Amino acid sequence: CHAIWKILLCGALFRAPVLRPRTVLSVSAGTSWWASDLAAEFSSAEIISIGTGPVLLPTPQNVTLYTHEVDCDWNTIPFDRGKRFDLIHGRMLASCIKDWLRFFEQAMQRLRPGGWLELNEFQFDVFSLNIGDCSAVKSIRSMAQTYRETGKMRGFSLNAAVWMREMMRAAGFMSVQGEENDVRLILPVAALGD
């Protein structure tokens, strides 16, 4: 997924107007590739990465990794409680966070004055380019609906991107900006014959 986001962001690791981040918190459900790439680009930055995924890369010296649930009280994560960040970055967290308001409030508390929170999420829907959907498209659409319903039963909103800006404002963020891109991954799907 990290490679796809780099393509979508035209090679950039983030869009927030932070020229030289000194302290960065990466909130991740993945393998910390983003934090490793950021460490290479900003070698003097101190980067803390919390996430649930297995670490697949060698850890750069300026990255500290914590394997921890991201939907928690951040005071339970063993890094300096007084630390403030120039940038807090998260990506594809919709299946990890149940209490978005708490997440945003904690991010607000951990940002330095003038700091930025950047999240990259997507709306999980399936569309068909065909006028008449074949059985394979209907099956994929059904799978997507089941995925969303299962997430909802477990307390997750897999389309959090739809209402995220309002929730950020409710948590106290003042300059909430959003960028919507209508990016569709087109997959050839056809019914298989005998």
Side-chain angles (χ1 to χ4, degrees):
C1 290
H2 176 60
I4 292 171
W5 280 103
K6 280 184 76 174
I7 291 168
L8 294 175
L9 298 174
C10 301
L13 293 172
F14 60 91
R15 296 280 177 110
V18 180
L19 299 178
R20 287 184 204 91
R22 294 170 297 178
T23 54
V24 178
L25 176 62
S26 171
V27 182
S28 167
T31 58
S32 299
W33 283 38
W34 184 87
S36 292
D37 279 2
L38 189 74
E41 190 169 327
F42 298 98
S43 59
S44 64
E46 176 189 5
I47 301 163
I48 294 175
S49 179
I50 58 173
T52 58
V55 177
L56 301 177
L57 301 172
T59 305
Q61 287 187 327
N62 58 331
V63 176
T64 304
L65 299 173
Y66 294 100
T67 301
H68 204 286
E69 291 296 322
V70 297
D71 191 27
C72 66
D73 177 349
W74 289 5
N75 289 322
T76 65
I77 302 168
F79 63 84
D80 179 6
R81 290 182 183 179
K83 183 161 296 294
R84 299 294 177 259
F85 299 94
D86 299 312
L87 175 65
I88 297 176
H89 183 272
R91 180 177 285 165
M92 297 179 68
L93 297 174
S95 64
C96 300
I97 296 177
K98 294 178 181 178
D99 190 346
W100 280 99
L101 184 58
R102 178 177 70 174
F103 176 84
F104 290 133
E105 288 171 344
Q106 291 183 118
M108 174 68 82
Q109 293 168 0
R110 294 294 183 140
L111 285 170
R112 288 184 184 184
W116 285 81
L117 168 65
E118 179 173 318
L119 298 173
N120 304 134
E121 293 292 331
F122 67 94
Q123 184 174 348
F124 190 76
D125 283 314
V126 176
F127 304 94
S128 174
L129 299 175
N130 297 333
I131 294 171
D133 288 348
C134 68
S135 62
V137 170
K138 289 177 183 174
S139 294
I140 293 172
R141 187 173 285 129
S142 175
M143 178 203 65
Q145 181 63 29
T146 300
Y147 184 67
R148 284 192 302 271
E149 289 171 1
T150 301
K152 188 175 181 179
M153 286 189 312
R154 297 186 67 214
F156 300 109
S157 174
L158 300 181
N159 280 335
V162 173
W163 48 260
M164 195 171 277
R165 281 181 244 174
E166 291 101 40
M167 188 67 70
M168 291 178 79
R169 286 185 186 99
F173 283 89
M174 304 297 281
S175 179
V176 177
Q177 301 173 17
E179 182 177 310
E180 293 181 24
N181 295 301
D182 187 14
V183 177
R184 297 178 186 208
L185 301 176
I186 300 175
L187 305 172
V189 177
L192 299 175
D194 293 324

